[in-house]
Amino acid sequence: MALIHLHLFFLLSLLWSTGLICSACPSPCSCMYQGGSNDTRLRFVECRDPAIVMVPTGLPADTFKLRLQKTSVVRVPKASFSALEQLRYLWLTYNSITTLHPRSFSNLSTLHELRLDGNLLSVFPWDALRDMPRLRTLGLHNNRLTRIPVHAARFLANITYLDLSSNRLTTLPNEVIAALPFYPPFNPAQPQSRVVLGLQDNLWVCDCRLALLLELSRATESYLVLLDRYLVCSGPKEFSGVPFQSVELPRCLKPSVLTSTTKIITPLGGNVMVRCEATGFPTPVLIWIKAAGPNISNTVFQNSPQVGIRWSVISLNGISYRDAGEYRCRAHNMAGSSEASISLDVVGVITRKSALKMPAQKLSNESPPTLQSGPSALESVPRRYMNSPKTSRNKMKRDQLKRNKMKRDHIKRQKMKRDKMSARQIK
């Protein structure tokens, strides 16, 4: 028996020294050392049990590579790997992950590779890349992503391998392409790194938003390397099934808005037409917005004399004080939006005579005008002009009392007359 124990001791020692077993390993995972000498061995941890439904805890602090594969994990909580300060490779592939916390990868300052292939992600928290400043490889193959937001460009400056293939993407912002370290295109005089980009098997809509990508896909010399150069358009209808290399499109142009003036001064009761013009590609759509006011219900005319140009006119008739304010002409297309403002000032003085003629309720709803006639001008219409004068109110009260007294006297006389007629009939 002692001899058996001795053999087991030597066997365990041999396994320990070769890195085939290690301590402090969670029960559903396997842990081992790989490569290097006894002092430089790298810890490798693999968790592949389909019964795993949560990210394992208690992983060895010196883990160099972690593979969490083919499990039933659905979400990755905040700071799930924060204790693994030496982690360089993190594979979370072919699980059922639908949700990543924006701080799921906090404290992974040495991570070089993150793979999330084969999950159910419809949204990726791009802000999370802040916690991985040394990340070079990001794999998002075979998920359910429908869009890449423009702000993702802020976190891609160090990425040299980005796999977005087999998702549901229809377009890719030019800002994202320009943020990758290969851009601008091939320049032998400037040292640059090659960037590998996976875009195949998506639902690309070939319009001006993809113009830059289409140009790069046709380039013979570029630091951009496509995993699959045979990219195909899914839309619009005229380009469905057409390879990228066969499509030529102009680039989108963000709208630019111009107005004929920036300020209009008009008298009370006047008529005004406010005009703006926008250029861009595709042809912008124009809308009018009144700052800090109700929706504009006035007559609006629009016309597009040619592709890339549109003008719009809003007609304001019978100007009142409530029409004063800032009018914004906003233009929008695929490339973005912009706007220009026009200030409308309404001037005029309400006299005592006109105030008495106009209904008090209508005047009370009007904002007093700002006058432009010099320092002696009133800042606003005096409140006593906004309603009937006090003397008129007193006279109206006296008239009402008089009418009430006449009515009572009339009723009294009628009653006396009826009483006399009844007395005659009795006699």
Side-chain angles (χ1 to χ4, degrees), residues 236-283:
K237 186 176 180 180
E238 60 268 25
F239 292 133
S240 181
V242 178
F244 273 26
Q245 288 81 359
S246 303
V247 178
E248 292 187 10
L249 291 171
R251 296 191 187 186
C252 292
L253 180 62
K254 184 179 177 179
S256 175
V257 183
L258 295 174
T259 58
S260 56
T261 183
T262 58
K263 188 172 184 178
I264 298 175
I265 301 176
T266 182
L268 182 67
N271 300 327
V272 170
M273 297 186 73
V274 185
R275 187 181 189 277
C276 77
E277 182 178 293
T279 58
F281 186 82
T283 303

Short mmCIF file of all heavy atoms in Angstrom, two decimals, residues 236-283:
data_model
loop_
_atom_site.label_atom_id
_atom_site.label_comp_id
_atom_site.label_asym_id
_atom_site.label_seq_id
_atom_site.Cartn_x
_atom_site.Cartn_y
_atom_site.Cartn_z
N PRO A 236 -30.58 48.73 -52.92
CA PRO A 236 -31.99 48.70 -53.34
C PRO A 236 -32.22 47.72 -54.49
O PRO A 236 -31.29 47.05 -54.92
CB PRO A 236 -32.26 50.14 -53.74
CG PRO A 236 -30.92 50.69 -54.12
CD PRO A 236 -29.93 50.01 -53.25
N LYS A 237 -33.44 47.69 -54.98
CA LYS A 237 -33.84 46.67 -55.95
C LYS A 237 -32.94 46.63 -57.17
O LYS A 237 -32.58 45.56 -57.66
CB LYS A 237 -35.30 46.91 -56.36
CG LYS A 237 -35.87 45.82 -57.25
CD LYS A 237 -37.34 46.08 -57.54
CE LYS A 237 -37.91 44.98 -58.43
NZ LYS A 237 -39.36 45.22 -58.73
N GLU A 238 -32.53 47.82 -57.66
CA GLU A 238 -31.73 47.85 -58.90
C GLU A 238 -30.32 47.29 -58.70
O GLU A 238 -29.64 46.95 -59.66
CB GLU A 238 -31.65 49.27 -59.45
CG GLU A 238 -31.02 50.29 -58.52
CD GLU A 238 -32.04 51.00 -57.66
OE1 GLU A 238 -33.13 50.42 -57.42
OE2 GLU A 238 -31.76 52.13 -57.24
N PHE A 239 -29.87 47.19 -57.42
CA PHE A 239 -28.53 46.66 -57.16
C PHE A 239 -28.56 45.30 -56.45
O PHE A 239 -27.50 44.78 -56.09
CB PHE A 239 -27.72 47.64 -56.30
CG PHE A 239 -27.37 48.92 -57.00
CD1 PHE A 239 -27.56 50.15 -56.38
CD2 PHE A 239 -26.85 48.90 -58.28
CE1 PHE A 239 -27.24 51.32 -57.02
CE2 PHE A 239 -26.53 50.07 -58.94
CZ PHE A 239 -26.72 51.29 -58.31
N SER A 240 -29.72 44.74 -56.25
CA SER A 240 -29.83 43.47 -55.53
C SER A 240 -29.05 42.36 -56.25
O SER A 240 -29.25 42.12 -57.44
CB SER A 240 -31.30 43.07 -55.39
OG SER A 240 -31.42 41.85 -54.68
N GLY A 241 -28.12 41.74 -55.52
CA GLY A 241 -27.31 40.67 -56.09
C GLY A 241 -26.10 41.13 -56.87
O GLY A 241 -25.35 40.30 -57.38
N VAL A 242 -25.88 42.44 -56.96
CA VAL A 242 -24.75 42.98 -57.73
C VAL A 242 -23.51 43.05 -56.83
O VAL A 242 -23.58 43.54 -55.71
CB VAL A 242 -25.08 44.38 -58.28
CG1 VAL A 242 -23.89 44.95 -59.03
CG2 VAL A 242 -26.31 44.31 -59.17
N PRO A 243 -22.34 42.56 -57.29
CA PRO A 243 -21.12 42.64 -56.49
C PRO A 243 -20.69 44.09 -56.27
O PRO A 243 -20.93 44.96 -57.09
CB PRO A 243 -20.08 41.89 -57.34
CG PRO A 243 -20.87 41.06 -58.28
CD PRO A 243 -22.14 41.81 -58.54
N PHE A 244 -20.03 44.32 -55.13
CA PHE A 244 -19.55 45.67 -54.80
C PHE A 244 -18.66 46.23 -55.91
O PHE A 244 -18.73 47.41 -56.22
CB PHE A 244 -18.74 45.62 -53.50
CG PHE A 244 -19.58 45.78 -52.26
CD1 PHE A 244 -20.92 45.41 -52.24
CD2 PHE A 244 -19.03 46.29 -51.09
CE1 PHE A 244 -21.69 45.54 -51.10
CE2 PHE A 244 -19.79 46.43 -49.94
CZ PHE A 244 -21.12 46.06 -49.94
N GLN A 245 -17.84 45.39 -56.49
CA GLN A 245 -16.88 45.85 -57.50
C GLN A 245 -17.56 46.44 -58.73
O GLN A 245 -16.93 47.16 -59.51
CB GLN A 245 -15.94 44.71 -57.92
CG GLN A 245 -14.91 44.32 -56.86
CD GLN A 245 -15.50 43.40 -55.80
OE1 GLN A 245 -16.68 43.08 -55.84
NE2 GLN A 245 -14.67 42.96 -54.87
N SER A 246 -18.84 46.12 -58.93
CA SER A 246 -19.56 46.58 -60.13
C SER A 246 -20.43 47.79 -59.88
O SER A 246 -21.13 48.26 -60.78
CB SER A 246 -20.44 45.44 -60.68
OG SER A 246 -19.66 44.29 -60.96
N VAL A 247 -20.41 48.32 -58.65
CA VAL A 247 -21.29 49.44 -58.31
C VAL A 247 -20.46 50.70 -58.09
O VAL A 247 -19.45 50.67 -57.39
CB VAL A 247 -22.10 49.12 -57.03
CG1 VAL A 247 -22.98 50.30 -56.65
CG2 VAL A 247 -22.95 47.88 -57.23
N GLU A 248 -20.89 51.80 -58.72
CA GLU A 248 -20.25 53.09 -58.51
C GLU A 248 -21.31 54.09 -58.05
O GLU A 248 -22.34 54.27 -58.70
CB GLU A 248 -19.59 53.59 -59.80
CG GLU A 248 -18.39 52.75 -60.22
CD GLU A 248 -17.65 53.37 -61.40
OE1 GLU A 248 -17.97 54.53 -61.73
OE2 GLU A 248 -16.77 52.70 -61.96
N LEU A 249 -21.05 54.70 -56.92
CA LEU A 249 -22.01 55.64 -56.34
C LEU A 249 -21.28 56.89 -55.86
O LEU A 249 -20.13 56.82 -55.40
CB LEU A 249 -22.73 54.99 -55.14
CG LEU A 249 -23.71 53.85 -55.44
CD1 LEU A 249 -24.14 53.20 -54.14
CD2 LEU A 249 -24.92 54.37 -56.19
N PRO A 250 -21.95 58.06 -55.94
CA PRO A 250 -21.35 59.27 -55.34
C PRO A 250 -21.43 59.19 -53.82
O PRO A 250 -22.30 58.50 -53.26
CB PRO A 250 -22.24 60.40 -55.89
CG PRO A 250 -23.56 59.75 -56.16
CD PRO A 250 -23.24 58.33 -56.59
N ARG A 251 -20.54 59.87 -53.17
CA ARG A 251 -20.56 59.88 -51.71
C ARG A 251 -21.68 60.79 -51.20
O ARG A 251 -22.06 61.76 -51.85
CB ARG A 251 -19.22 60.37 -51.15
CG ARG A 251 -18.05 59.45 -51.47
CD ARG A 251 -16.83 59.86 -50.66
NE ARG A 251 -15.64 59.11 -51.06
CZ ARG A 251 -14.47 59.20 -50.44
NH1 ARG A 251 -14.32 60.03 -49.41
NH2 ARG A 251 -13.43 58.48 -50.84
N CYS A 252 -22.17 60.47 -50.02
CA CYS A 252 -23.19 61.32 -49.38
C CYS A 252 -22.58 62.66 -49.01
O CYS A 252 -21.39 62.75 -48.67
CB CYS A 252 -23.73 60.65 -48.12
SG CYS A 252 -24.71 59.15 -48.42
N LEU A 253 -23.40 63.70 -49.09
CA LEU A 253 -22.97 65.05 -48.72
C LEU A 253 -23.94 65.60 -47.69
O LEU A 253 -25.14 65.70 -47.94
CB LEU A 253 -22.94 65.96 -49.96
CG LEU A 253 -22.51 67.40 -49.73
CD1 LEU A 253 -21.07 67.45 -49.22
CD2 LEU A 253 -22.65 68.21 -51.02
N LYS A 254 -23.41 65.94 -46.53
CA LYS A 254 -24.24 66.49 -45.45
C LYS A 254 -24.88 67.79 -45.89
O LYS A 254 -24.26 68.61 -46.57
CB LYS A 254 -23.38 66.71 -44.20
CG LYS A 254 -24.15 67.18 -42.99
CD LYS A 254 -23.24 67.36 -41.80
CE LYS A 254 -24.01 67.90 -40.59
NZ LYS A 254 -23.13 68.05 -39.41
N PRO A 255 -26.15 68.04 -45.50
CA PRO A 255 -26.84 69.26 -45.95
C PRO A 255 -26.16 70.54 -45.46
O PRO A 255 -25.56 70.58 -44.38
CB PRO A 255 -28.23 69.12 -45.32
CG PRO A 255 -28.39 67.67 -45.04
CD PRO A 255 -27.03 67.16 -44.72
N SER A 256 -26.29 71.57 -46.28
CA SER A 256 -25.87 72.93 -45.93
C SER A 256 -27.08 73.83 -46.15
O SER A 256 -27.69 73.80 -47.22
CB SER A 256 -24.69 73.37 -46.80
OG SER A 256 -24.35 74.71 -46.54
N VAL A 257 -27.42 74.65 -45.15
CA VAL A 257 -28.65 75.45 -45.20
C VAL A 257 -28.29 76.93 -45.27
O VAL A 257 -27.42 77.41 -44.51
CB VAL A 257 -29.53 75.20 -43.96
CG1 VAL A 257 -30.83 75.99 -44.05
CG2 VAL A 257 -29.83 73.71 -43.82
N LEU A 258 -28.94 77.64 -46.18
CA LEU A 258 -28.75 79.08 -46.33
C LEU A 258 -30.09 79.79 -46.24
O LEU A 258 -31.12 79.27 -46.71
CB LEU A 258 -28.09 79.41 -47.67
CG LEU A 258 -26.66 78.89 -47.90
CD1 LEU A 258 -26.24 79.19 -49.33
CD2 LEU A 258 -25.70 79.53 -46.91
N THR A 259 -30.10 80.99 -45.65
CA THR A 259 -31.30 81.83 -45.61
C THR A 259 -30.98 83.19 -46.23
O THR A 259 -29.82 83.63 -46.22
CB THR A 259 -31.78 82.03 -44.16
OG1 THR A 259 -30.72 82.63 -43.39
CG2 THR A 259 -32.17 80.71 -43.53
N SER A 260 -32.00 83.85 -46.76
CA SER A 260 -31.78 85.14 -47.41
C SER A 260 -31.46 86.24 -46.40
O SER A 260 -30.86 87.25 -46.74
CB SER A 260 -33.02 85.54 -48.21
OG SER A 260 -34.16 85.55 -47.37
N THR A 261 -31.87 86.03 -45.15
CA THR A 261 -31.59 86.99 -44.09
C THR A 261 -31.61 86.26 -42.76
O THR A 261 -32.10 85.13 -42.67
CB THR A 261 -32.63 88.13 -44.09
OG1 THR A 261 -32.28 89.08 -43.09
CG2 THR A 261 -34.02 87.60 -43.81
N THR A 262 -31.08 86.91 -41.75
CA THR A 262 -31.09 86.30 -40.42
C THR A 262 -32.07 86.99 -39.48
O THR A 262 -32.35 86.47 -38.40
CB THR A 262 -29.69 86.36 -39.78
OG1 THR A 262 -29.26 87.73 -39.70
CG2 THR A 262 -28.69 85.55 -40.60
N LYS A 263 -32.60 88.16 -39.90
CA LYS A 263 -33.55 88.89 -39.05
C LYS A 263 -34.55 89.64 -39.90
O LYS A 263 -34.19 90.25 -40.89
CB LYS A 263 -32.80 89.86 -38.13
CG LYS A 263 -33.69 90.51 -37.09
CD LYS A 263 -32.87 91.31 -36.10
CE LYS A 263 -33.75 91.89 -34.99
NZ LYS A 263 -32.97 92.62 -33.98
N ILE A 264 -35.83 89.56 -39.50
CA ILE A 264 -36.92 90.26 -40.19
C ILE A 264 -37.68 91.07 -39.16
O ILE A 264 -38.03 90.56 -38.09
CB ILE A 264 -37.87 89.26 -40.89
CG1 ILE A 264 -37.13 88.47 -41.97
CG2 ILE A 264 -39.06 90.00 -41.50
CD1 ILE A 264 -37.96 87.39 -42.61
N ILE A 265 -37.95 92.35 -39.49
CA ILE A 265 -38.77 93.22 -38.64
C ILE A 265 -40.02 93.57 -39.42
O ILE A 265 -39.94 94.08 -40.55
CB ILE A 265 -38.01 94.49 -38.23
CG1 ILE A 265 -36.73 94.12 -37.46
CG2 ILE A 265 -38.89 95.38 -37.38
CD1 ILE A 265 -35.87 95.32 -37.10
N THR A 266 -41.17 93.31 -38.85
CA THR A 266 -42.43 93.53 -39.57
C THR A 266 -43.42 94.20 -38.64
O THR A 266 -43.42 93.98 -37.42
CB THR A 266 -43.01 92.19 -40.08
OG1 THR A 266 -44.20 92.44 -40.82
CG2 THR A 266 -43.32 91.25 -38.93
N PRO A 267 -44.31 95.06 -39.19
CA PRO A 267 -45.33 95.70 -38.35
C PRO A 267 -46.44 94.73 -37.99
O PRO A 267 -46.67 93.74 -38.67
CB PRO A 267 -45.85 96.84 -39.24
CG PRO A 267 -45.61 96.36 -40.64
CD PRO A 267 -44.34 95.57 -40.58
N LEU A 268 -47.11 95.06 -36.92
CA LEU A 268 -48.25 94.27 -36.48
C LEU A 268 -49.31 94.23 -37.58
O LEU A 268 -49.65 95.24 -38.16
CB LEU A 268 -48.82 94.89 -35.20
CG LEU A 268 -50.00 94.18 -34.54
CD1 LEU A 268 -49.56 92.84 -33.99
CD2 LEU A 268 -50.57 95.04 -33.43
N GLY A 269 -49.79 93.01 -37.89
CA GLY A 269 -50.81 92.84 -38.92
C GLY A 269 -50.27 92.68 -40.32
O GLY A 269 -51.03 92.48 -41.26
N GLY A 270 -48.94 92.75 -40.51
CA GLY A 270 -48.36 92.62 -41.84
C GLY A 270 -48.26 91.17 -42.30
O GLY A 270 -48.65 90.23 -41.59
N ASN A 271 -47.76 90.99 -43.51
CA ASN A 271 -47.56 89.66 -44.10
C ASN A 271 -46.07 89.45 -44.38
O ASN A 271 -45.38 90.37 -44.83
CB ASN A 271 -48.35 89.52 -45.40
CG ASN A 271 -49.84 89.71 -45.19
OD1 ASN A 271 -50.38 89.35 -44.14
ND2 ASN A 271 -50.51 90.30 -46.17
N VAL A 272 -45.59 88.23 -44.12
CA VAL A 272 -44.17 87.93 -44.28
C VAL A 272 -44.01 86.56 -44.94
O VAL A 272 -44.78 85.63 -44.66
CB VAL A 272 -43.44 87.93 -42.91
CG1 VAL A 272 -42.03 87.38 -43.05
CG2 VAL A 272 -43.38 89.32 -42.33
N MET A 273 -43.00 86.42 -45.82
CA MET A 273 -42.62 85.13 -46.39
C MET A 273 -41.16 84.87 -46.00
O MET A 273 -40.28 85.68 -46.29
CB MET A 273 -42.79 85.12 -47.91
CG MET A 273 -44.23 85.32 -48.36
SD MET A 273 -44.45 85.15 -50.15
CE MET A 273 -44.27 83.39 -50.33
N VAL A 274 -40.93 83.74 -45.33
CA VAL A 274 -39.60 83.38 -44.85
C VAL A 274 -39.09 82.22 -45.71
O VAL A 274 -39.78 81.21 -45.89
CB VAL A 274 -39.65 82.97 -43.36
CG1 VAL A 274 -38.25 82.71 -42.84
CG2 VAL A 274 -40.33 84.04 -42.54
N ARG A 275 -37.86 82.37 -46.24
CA ARG A 275 -37.34 81.40 -47.21
C ARG A 275 -35.98 80.85 -46.79
O ARG A 275 -35.17 81.56 -46.20
CB ARG A 275 -37.21 82.05 -48.59
CG ARG A 275 -36.84 81.10 -49.72
CD ARG A 275 -36.73 81.88 -51.03
NE ARG A 275 -36.60 81.01 -52.19
CZ ARG A 275 -35.45 80.48 -52.61
NH1 ARG A 275 -34.33 80.75 -51.95
NH2 ARG A 275 -35.42 79.71 -53.68
N CYS A 276 -35.76 79.56 -47.07
CA CYS A 276 -34.44 78.97 -46.88
C CYS A 276 -34.17 77.98 -48.02
O CYS A 276 -35.10 77.49 -48.67
CB CYS A 276 -34.31 78.28 -45.53
SG CYS A 276 -35.11 76.67 -45.42
N GLU A 277 -32.89 77.66 -48.22
CA GLU A 277 -32.48 76.74 -49.28
C GLU A 277 -31.41 75.81 -48.74
O GLU A 277 -30.54 76.22 -47.97
CB GLU A 277 -31.95 77.51 -50.48
CG GLU A 277 -31.53 76.63 -51.66
CD GLU A 277 -31.06 77.44 -52.83
OE1 GLU A 277 -31.88 78.16 -53.44
OE2 GLU A 277 -29.85 77.36 -53.15
N ALA A 278 -31.48 74.54 -49.12
CA ALA A 278 -30.51 73.54 -48.64
C ALA A 278 -29.92 72.78 -49.83
O ALA A 278 -30.61 72.51 -50.82
CB ALA A 278 -31.18 72.57 -47.68
N THR A 279 -28.63 72.45 -49.70
CA THR A 279 -27.96 71.61 -50.69
C THR A 279 -27.37 70.40 -49.97
O THR A 279 -27.02 70.46 -48.79
CB THR A 279 -26.83 72.38 -51.40
OG1 THR A 279 -25.89 72.85 -50.41
CG2 THR A 279 -27.38 73.57 -52.17
N GLY A 280 -27.25 69.31 -50.69
CA GLY A 280 -26.70 68.08 -50.12
C GLY A 280 -27.06 66.90 -51.00
O GLY A 280 -27.86 67.02 -51.94
N PHE A 281 -26.46 65.75 -50.69
CA PHE A 281 -26.80 64.53 -51.44
C PHE A 281 -26.91 63.36 -50.47
O PHE A 281 -26.02 63.15 -49.67
CB PHE A 281 -25.74 64.21 -52.50
CG PHE A 281 -26.12 63.05 -53.38
CD1 PHE A 281 -26.96 63.23 -54.46
CD2 PHE A 281 -25.68 61.77 -53.09
CE1 PHE A 281 -27.34 62.16 -55.26
CE2 PHE A 281 -26.05 60.69 -53.88
CZ PHE A 281 -26.88 60.89 -54.97
N PRO A 282 -28.07 62.64 -50.56
CA PRO A 282 -29.25 62.86 -51.39
C PRO A 282 -29.92 64.21 -51.08
O PRO A 282 -29.61 64.84 -50.09
CB PRO A 282 -30.16 61.70 -51.04
CG PRO A 282 -29.30 60.68 -50.39
CD PRO A 282 -28.22 61.43 -49.70
N THR A 283 -30.84 64.61 -51.96
CA THR A 283 -31.53 65.89 -51.79
C THR A 283 -32.15 65.96 -50.40
O THR A 283 -32.91 65.07 -50.01
CB THR A 283 -32.63 66.05 -52.86
OG1 THR A 283 -32.04 65.93 -54.15
CG2 THR A 283 -33.30 67.40 -52.73
#
